[in-house]
Amino acid sequence: MSAAALLASVGYAAAAATTSVAFAVLRNAPRRTLWVCALAGLAAWAASAPIQYLGETAPVFLGGAAVTAVAEVAAARLRVPVLTVLAPGILPLTPGLLAYHSILGLATGGYDVAVRDGILALFWAGSLAAGIAAVGLVARALRGRRPAAPTETGVSADRP
Amino acid sequence: MAETATGGASRQAQGPDATVVGLVLDVGEGLLSAGAETERVEDTAVRIANAYGDRDVDAFAVPTGLFVSFAGGRATGMRRVRNRGMDLGRLADWNDLARRVCEERPPAATGADWVRQVTARGEPYPAWAAPVMAAAGNAAFTYLVGGRATEAALAALSGVVVQAAVRGVGSHFTRRFFHAAAGGFAAVLIAAAGAHVLPGVRPVMVVTGGIVLLLPGLALTAAVRDMLTGDFLAGAARSLEALVTAAALAAGVALASSLLLSHVLGGGPL
């Protein structure tokens, strides 16, 4: 990899992380999770960018899977809900350009573009969802159903 | 609170403590209004009731409401959730509270105090953080999809404008709908104006960066996670929410585009 290409990669990675952190702050994410959100955004880009020549669906699937893996591990470590990291993390993977082209097509009578890009955006979102679901299922299986918190049977609530 | 005596000798027949019922419903409502997955809400409700010695609990949650049956059905609590936003900080706060209640099992009145503390908690970030982060996020995403520096700067500008305009819009869904529409509208106006003034600016890049933070990413993610746990009712509801938000955004974009195409841009493609 040439120096220029490497520099560009670092730039894109930083941009992906920035997008995630920005969304996290706008949605009031806890401060202690912000660096993990950056990591999740980075993972989204790092997993999807190298295989972009494969088209849309495969890179996005892999990106979604990588973000979910980061989010599941971080959520268990930091004791926060998975959504706090997952939602900001997938933001760099959203099909913004396609969705916009589709909307624009509808607004201006370019229905062929609208339908084509709309369907592509749907496929894109679908493979993102599949990536999230795949790793989510594995995480659930690994975690198992934890037993409820132990209590002595028959103890009623303390009354004020 | 309905309490019915059963024929059995055990004095379990006494219904659950009203304070515990209130605590379970408050925490459940808090989680739902912050955008939690419904399975998490049901699980949390059962755990808290378990922690207070009620082993026979069942919970049913949908994104807009929560039902919990205590002590084998001797009492049922219901809470309608009207104000729903997507607030990751509150989500974590309510999650922490639930965990603390289950671990420490404080007197239910203390739990109610904790609920009041979480409810009263203010915004975690200063007011300037929203426009600044919106600018940074929009610019970064524009760069990510292949935008140039000028396009990124215009996207940042539209982030500042949109955030400054909607600060304090609140979480009511109707208002969020208009927030998305206004955001899409503003992004296109700024993109068109920028392209008109600055040579070489592609409006499509500016708009893409300008609307990325308004996309219903959280609703969509929560929808996927709801369906993942087999909760198709909540998943469908949230998918619809994501779709409606996206439609609002699209409406704003489409309105501005169709207004501008003929007048400012002379019919050329954006």
Side-chain angles (χ1 to χ4, degrees):
Chain A
M1 194 188 278
S2 72
L6 190 69
L7 198 66
S9 297
V10 172
Y12 285 131
T18 307
T19 310
S20 291
V21 172
F23 184 81
V25 170
L26 288 179
R27 297 295 185 188
N28 287 338
R31 281 164 198 259
R32 66 197 162 99
T33 63
L34 287 185
W35 67 274
V36 194
C37 293
L39 202 66
L42 198 72
W45 179 82
S48 58
I51 53 166
Q52 227 138 40
Y53 59 87
L54 288 177
E56 270 97 28
T57 44
V60 173
F61 176 87
L62 211 62
V67 173
T68 314
V70 171
E72 291 278 358
V73 172
R77 290 280 168 85
L78 296 176
R79 306 194 125 200
V80 290
V82 176
L83 269 183
T84 5
V85 180
L86 185 57
I90 61 152
L91 208 68
L93 295 169
T94 47
L97 212 53
L98 284 173
Y100 174 65
H101 273 300
S102 176
I103 295 165
L104 195 67
L106 285 178
T108 56
Y111 297 116
D112 48 343
V113 178
V115 170
R116 190 196 62 202
D117 284 1
I119 289 173
L120 277 178
L122 270 184
F123 272 128
W124 185 314
S127 47
L128 184 58
I132 295 169
V135 175
L137 279 175
V138 173
R140 277 176 68 80
L142 289 179
R143 215 166 32 225
R145 297 288 303 170
R146 286 162 299 181
T151 50
E152 303 122 63
T153 45
V155 172
S156 69
D158 302 285
R159 280 156 205 282
Chain B
M1 193 67 42
E3 287 186 19
T4 51
T6 55
S10 96
R11 281 317 299 159
Q12 262 272 320
Q14 207 177 34
D17 187 335
T19 329
V20 174
V21 173
L23 182 62
V24 168
L25 292 178
D26 282 343
V27 174
E29 182 188 4
L31 281 169
L32 279 174
S33 60
E37 309 99 307
T38 50
E39 201 215 12
R40 172 183 298 278
V41 177
E42 291 168 353
D43 188 51
T44 304
V46 171
R47 275 164 194 268
I48 293 179
N50 280 169
Y52 285 101
D54 189 342
R55 313 294 300 180
D56 204 356
V57 196
D58 219 346
F60 174 72
V62 286
T64 50
L66 169 69
F67 306 80
V68 188
S69 128
F70 296 88
R74 281 186 200 87
T76 301
M78 194 282 273
R79 192 63 68 80
R80 175 80 166 86
V81 178
R82 292 179 198 282
N83 267 326
R84 292 191 314 120
M86 292 286 172
D87 190 318
L88 297 173
R90 290 211 176 275
L91 183 58
D93 284 346
W94 287 111
N95 192 52
D96 280 345
L97 191 157
R99 195 190 301 272
R100 240 175 103 196
V101 165
C102 289
E103 278 168 6
E104 296 178 24
R105 275 185 287 155
T110 311
D113 279 340
W114 292 353
V115 167
R116 274 190 288 278
Q117 280 169 22
V118 169
T119 314
R121 204 164 290 170
E123 298 280 317
Y125 297 101
W128 55 263
V132 168
M133 291 315 283
N138 285 0
F141 192 74
T142 309
Y143 177 65
L144 202 61
V145 294
R148 303 189 191 104
T150 43
E151 291 156 355
L154 284 169
L157 177 67
S158 85
V160 173
V161 169
V162 170
Q163 283 307 321
V166 301
R167 192 72 182 163
V169 155
S171 61
H172 192 275
F173 185 74
T174 331
R175 278 177 288 177
R176 281 195 287 135
F177 184 89
F178 286 113
H179 171 186
F185 191 81
V188 174
L189 284 191
I190 288 173
H196 197 63
V197 176
L198 301 166
V201 165
R202 294 160 294 173
V204 58
M205 289 294 169
V206 181
V207 178
T208 305
I211 63 176
V212 64
L213 295 173
L214 301 169
L215 291 170
L218 205 47
L220 199 66
T221 322
V224 173
R225 289 187 61 81
D226 273 331
M227 290 197 249
L228 190 60
T229 56
D231 211 334
F232 291 101
L233 191 61
R238 258 196 250 274
S239 305
L240 210 57
E241 183 180 345
L243 202 66
V244 170
T245 310
L249 191 58
V253 168
L255 182 64
S257 307
S258 53
L259 282 178
L260 287 169
L261 271 180
S262 46
H263 299 294
V264 178
L265 301 169
L270 264 184

